[in-house]
Amino acid sequence: MIDLIIEEKLQHFRDSAMTNSRNESVRILEEYTAALEKIFQEHKEEVTRKAELEILHEKELIRREGNKEMAREQLEIKRRIGILNAQLTEKIFEEVKELAEEFKKTPEYEQMMIRQIQEAKEFARGEHMIIYMDPADRDKIRRVSEATSCILTISEYPFGGGIRVMFPRRNILIDNSFDAKLAQKKADFNFLNGGSVHV
């Protein structure tokens, strides 16, 4: 009977030890699982944060590269527009020059020179002036001279037509030459802004 009591106590002790051991194992396992879960969550958050930063960084790189590419394209477009603008401007002024050559064959051209000389005479108020005509207008010198009562000088250098008037005392030049007017108009002309040419 004593053996039976001891056996029961031993069984009770074994059951109690096993229960405690199981409970302790479960507790340790739960703590370990919780610790692993926490480490996993922290790792996951860190990886997610790094991935988001990497995505932001890549987006910024792509945006910068896109901006650089767009800037390069804009420069290339401006360069091409500049070339076309120069070509079209050149063509327009070649046509204007041809029109000026045609105008020089008309009576209106002589009338224009006469008017410019009379304006120069008014400006001079009796002061000595030298009136130059283009060498190509040699055939018009007598008629223009008679119409203005002025002595005219043929220039040594061609200037495309029109007249030039020099006031030596004041060192003033009134340049109504076609070359000067066309050069000024060409310098001021901008095809892109709807430039117009009036000589």
Side-chain angles (χ1 to χ4, degrees):
M1 184 134 160
I2 293 175
D3 285 340
L4 197 56
I5 292 173
I6 292 173
E7 192 60 40
E8 282 177 11
K9 285 184 179 181
L10 275 172
Q11 187 60 42
H12 178 69
F13 176 74
R14 267 191 235 126
D15 290 346
S16 180
M18 287 301 284
T19 301
N20 285 342
S21 181
R22 274 193 224 106
N23 288 343
E24 187 64 19
S25 292
V26 167
R27 185 187 63 75
I28 290 170
L29 188 60
E30 284 174 354
E31 285 178 5
Y32 184 69
T33 302
L36 284 177
E37 185 65 34
K38 185 179 176 189
I39 291 168
F40 174 71
Q41 284 301 328
E42 287 172 356
H43 179 70
K44 191 166 99 173
E45 287 169 11
E46 180 67 16
V47 167
T48 302
R49 189 180 62 77
K50 283 182 180 177
E52 286 171 353
L53 285 174
E54 187 66 27
I55 288 167
L56 285 174
H57 178 70
E58 288 299 318
K59 279 183 180 177
E60 183 62 19
L61 284 177
I62 290 167
R63 187 186 64 77
R64 284 184 189 164
E65 278 303 311
N67 287 346
K68 280 184 197 173
E69 189 58 36
M70 190 166 63
R72 276 194 293 270
E73 279 298 315
Q74 286 174 338
L75 283 174
E76 179 59 22
I77 288 167
K78 283 181 184 177
R79 187 188 70 77
R80 280 188 259 152
I81 287 172
I83 291 169
L84 286 173
N85 187 21
Q87 290 172 343
L88 289 171
T89 299
E90 202 57 44
K91 188 170 182 182
I92 287 169
F93 278 89
E94 283 173 14
E95 289 177 18
V96 169
K97 212 167 186 179
E98 288 172 15
L99 290 171
E101 287 301 316
E102 289 302 311
F103 174 69
K104 284 165 48 177
K105 297 174 187 173
T106 67
E108 286 80 13
Y109 174 60
E110 279 186 31
Q111 291 303 312
M112 181 201 72
M113 287 193 292
I114 291 166
R115 188 175 62 255
Q116 288 174 345
I117 291 168
Q118 288 168 341
E119 288 169 2
K121 280 171 69 175
E122 287 174 25
F123 177 79
R125 295 186 187 156
E127 181 184 334
H128 172 67
M129 62 182 179
I130 304 168
I131 303 166
Y132 293 100
M133 287 182 69
D134 190 89
D137 293 331
R138 190 177 300 275
D139 61 321
K140 299 170 183 67
I141 194 166
R142 187 182 56 75
R143 291 188 301 275
V144 175
S145 180
E146 288 173 0
T148 58
S149 302
C150 290
I151 297 169
L152 306 175
T153 305
I154 298 294
S155 172
E156 291 180 37
Y157 309 102
F159 48 78
I163 62 158
R164 287 180 170 164
V165 183
M166 182 72 189
F167 297 90
R169 192 174 67 78
R170 289 190 277 172
N171 201 24
I172 294 175
L173 173 68
I174 297 175
D175 192 348
N176 283 322
S177 69
F178 282 13
D179 283 355
K181 286 186 173 194
L182 283 172
Q184 184 59 50
K185 290 292 180 182
K186 194 172 183 180
D188 296 340
F189 185 79
N190 187 339
F191 191 83
L192 296 177
N193 292 335
S196 58
V197 183
H198 301 289
V199 180

